[in-house]
Amino acid sequence: MKNKHSIRLLALLLAIGVLLCPLSACGGGEIAKPETVEELVETVAQAMAAVPYQCVSTEARRVTDGGALASELDATTVSTARVDGTAFFLSLAQGGTLRESTYRDGIYYLHVNGGDGAIDLKRSVSITAEQLALYGASAVSYTAFFQDITFSDLMWETAENGNIIVTGSGVEEESSTGLERVIGDLSAALMPHGASLTVDYRETFVTMEVDARTYQCLRQRRELSGEILLLDQIIPFTLTTEEVYSYGEAAVVTPPADANIYEKKGSFAELFEM
């Protein structure tokens, strides 16, 4: 299938579509067999919203033959998201710091553990669907990566194991601004070195595996590549993200086990005044 399709549809597979759709409103009914890529994506979004799910994401940034620059920029970040209706749990381990956010039954819990020890804070707050993005519940990297992106090619096929494989390749230049968050992170890291980067949008890929029986997303892999210009040196880089999804009771969001010792804060903003 070679027509252009908006990657915005793929975002429905991920946290935003699920977070904005309470479980009580999304489940039930027989799943109709999709006939197009668009219908498949919408079907997967509904299937994911029907039960709690967990996504473990591993993002790897690699700079090839970059010397000291590579040693500083090469990094692997692991994050976990559990989504249970409008409740959520987000965990991010990066640079020796663990940050966990939990929202359940009107209380937001924040746990940060780094070089200076652990901080445990909580605040009673009503988070509406429209506010979820502000509070980080839908700001995980794999969601933002796909918004407002159009692939040159988007197709699906049946794998040997019977599952469905969706593949997108080549980002159209007019929709390249959808990658601004990722590019911005890399650019900020390069600024102290006086380096700049270019992204090869044609070499951007996404692969998604879907369970052909339940239409639940099982895994995704994305790849972005380009070049860093440092003085007269051209240094290739790649950014890959892999996610593995699981479903059911193990993904249900619960308050922290030691929630009773979390320090109460008087305003939501105080949670982040550390």
Side-chain angles (χ1 to χ4, degrees):
M1 190 170 185
K2 300 298 184 179
N3 294 329
K4 299 176 182 178
H5 300 278
S6 174
I7 199 63
R8 182 185 298 275
L9 289 170
L10 282 177
L12 293 173
L13 301 175
L14 306 170
I16 287 180
V18 176
L19 285 167
L20 299 184
C21 188
L23 297 180
S24 60
C26 296
E30 184 178 350
I31 300 176
K33 182 178 180 180
E35 300 293 338
T36 65
V37 175
E38 292 91 342
E39 290 178 4
L40 173 65
V41 171
E42 292 176 357
T43 300
V44 173
Q46 294 173 10
M48 290 183 70
V51 294
Y53 84 88
Q54 174 174 274
C55 173
V56 178
S57 174
T58 303
E59 182 178 277
R61 184 169 64 198
R62 294 291 177 262
V63 176
T64 306
D65 300 326
L69 183 64
S71 65
E72 181 173 338
L73 292 181
D74 283 2
T76 299
T77 301
V78 179
S79 61
T80 301
R82 292 201 300 270
V83 179
D84 180 6
T86 56
F88 62 84
F89 167 82
L90 299 174
S91 173
L92 176 65
Q94 187 176 40
T97 298
L98 173 66
R99 184 187 188 97
E100 296 179 333
S101 299
T102 305
Y103 178 68
R104 174 92 262 179
D105 299 328
I107 302 178
Y108 190 104
Y109 304 89
L110 177 64
H111 170 77
V112 180
N113 196 339
D116 297 327
I119 298 174
D120 297 301
L121 307 173
K122 63 184 176 182
R123 159 70 176 163
S124 296
V125 58
S126 178
I127 301 181
T128 66
E130 291 76 15
Q131 292 170 324
L132 286 173
L134 284 176
Y135 298 146
S138 58
V140 282
S141 60
Y142 53 83
T143 301
F145 190 91
F146 282 112
Q147 292 177 321
D148 303 318
I149 297 175
T150 302
F151 281 130
S152 298
D153 295 297
L154 184 62
M155 58 181 295
W156 65 334
E157 59 185 347
T158 302
E160 292 183 0
N161 62 4
N163 289 336
I164 301 169
I165 305 296
V166 180
T167 303
S169 60
V171 172
E172 291 295 291
E173 192 70 25
E174 62 268 20
S175 69
S176 61
T177 54
L179 301 178
E180 281 183 348
R181 187 201 59 80
V182 175
I183 298 171
D185 290 346
L186 285 170
S187 296
L190 291 170
M191 285 180 62
H193 304 277
S196 60
L197 64 83
T198 58
V199 175
D200 189 346
Y201 297 109
R202 297 167 301 176
E203 296 298 318
T204 300
F205 302 93
V206 57
T207 302
M208 175 179 67
E209 182 178 357
V210 175
D211 188 311
R213 298 167 302 170
T214 64
Y215 292 103
Q216 293 169 340
C217 180
L218 300 177
R219 64 184 67 249
Q220 289 195 34
R221 176 181 172 84
R222 299 184 297 279
E223 181 174 333
L224 173 73
S225 62
E227 296 177 333
I228 297 170
L229 177 61
L230 177 61
L231 301 177
D232 293 329
Q233 185 181 9
I234 297 178
I235 307 168
F237 77 87
T238 59
L239 182 67
T240 59
T241 305
E242 293 185 285
E243 290 123 28
V244 177
Y245 295 83
S246 57
Y247 301 84
E249 289 301 313
V252 172
V253 178
T254 59
D258 56 350
N260 61 310
I261 69 170
Y262 276 50
E263 179 185 352
K264 291 183 179 180
K265 288 296 182 178
S267 70
F268 193 80
E270 289 181 9
L271 291 176
F272 302 99
E273 293 177 357
M274 296 179 293

